[in-house]
Amino acid sequence: SIEGLKGLFADSASLKSTCTWLTADLIDECRQSCGGHGYSAYAGFGKGYADHVVQCTWEGDNNILAQNSGRITIQKVMAFEKSGKVFGSSGYAFLKDAKREGAILSSESDLKDLQTLNLALKSIIYRVALKCIGALQENGKNWDVIANEKLSLSKLYAAEYILDKWIARISETRDAGVRKQLENLARLFAI
């Protein structure tokens, strides 16, 4: 159950930090798109930003959560490289596909296929983690050397997790018109 808790922590830490950062950025982008009027109290973006941005440190600072999540991802890849098996959280089961099929986006049709886009994200996570493992070996297992990479891995893992769940929900959608729009939004998110 310890491995299950690690997986749950990696998922929630990655999702919390990434989603709250993205939301804060979105609120600020909306404010900026209104020009000088974005600062007006009538626009509401200033208050919305002030009310939301605290989420980036509430219940765990995003930087620390993302660093820990990235570290867990690297540790999972290390264990997978050593044994060829994925232990604990099923959220890392993708490592088998990422290693075996390493997606390369080489055509326009690849950019339209959600499964290919998702595999590309998985492959990127795997490759970045492998580079981190190499950097750790070169620097006496100094995790501080790869701080930026751990942050990136956390964001990539959150994006892959969201896209993976999104694809699963799209496949359950019965209305073809709604499904088409959800697929378009998922592509926009993935790219």
Side-chain angles (χ1 to χ4, degrees), residues 125-142:
I125 292 168
Y126 183 72
R127 290 176 189 155
V128 170
L130 286 177
K131 286 189 181 252
C132 289
I133 293 168
L136 284 171
Q137 291 169 345
E138 290 172 10
N139 292 291
K141 296 193 179 187
N142 180 357

Side-chain angles (χ1 to χ4, degrees), residues 105 107-118 167 183-184 186-188 190-191:
L105 303 175
S107 69
E108 188 176 325
S109 63
D110 289 342
L111 295 175
K112 293 180 180 178
D113 182 53
L114 290 174
Q115 295 295 342
T116 302
L117 290 169
N118 197 21
I167 291 169
E183 287 171 353
N184 287 336
R187 277 187 208 95
L188 182 63
I191 295 173

Side-chain angles (χ1 to χ4, degrees), residues 53-66:
V53 82
V54 70
Q55 300 302 320
C56 295
T57 53
W58 197 307
E59 298 295 330
D61 177 72
N62 281 359
N63 289 298
I64 303 302
L65 290 173

Side-chain angles (χ1 to χ4, degrees), residues 5-68:
L5 286 173
K6 271 187 179 179
L8 179 61
F9 175 78
D11 294 350
S12 61
S14 178
L15 288 166
K16 186 267 184 190
S17 59
T18 301
C19 291
T20 55
W21 272 328
L22 288 173
T23 303
D25 289 347
L26 179 63
I27 293 168
D28 196 44
E29 259 184 65
C30 290
R31 180 198 54 76
Q32 289 177 30
S33 70
C34 293
H37 297 289
Y39 286 106
S40 169
Y42 293 113
F45 293 122
K47 181 173 178 8
Y49 185 80
D51 288 348
H52 176 76
V53 82
V54 70
Q55 300 302 320
C56 295
T57 53
W58 197 307
E59 298 295 330
D61 177 72
N62 281 359
N63 289 298
I64 303 302
L65 290 173
Q67 293 288 321
N68 287 330

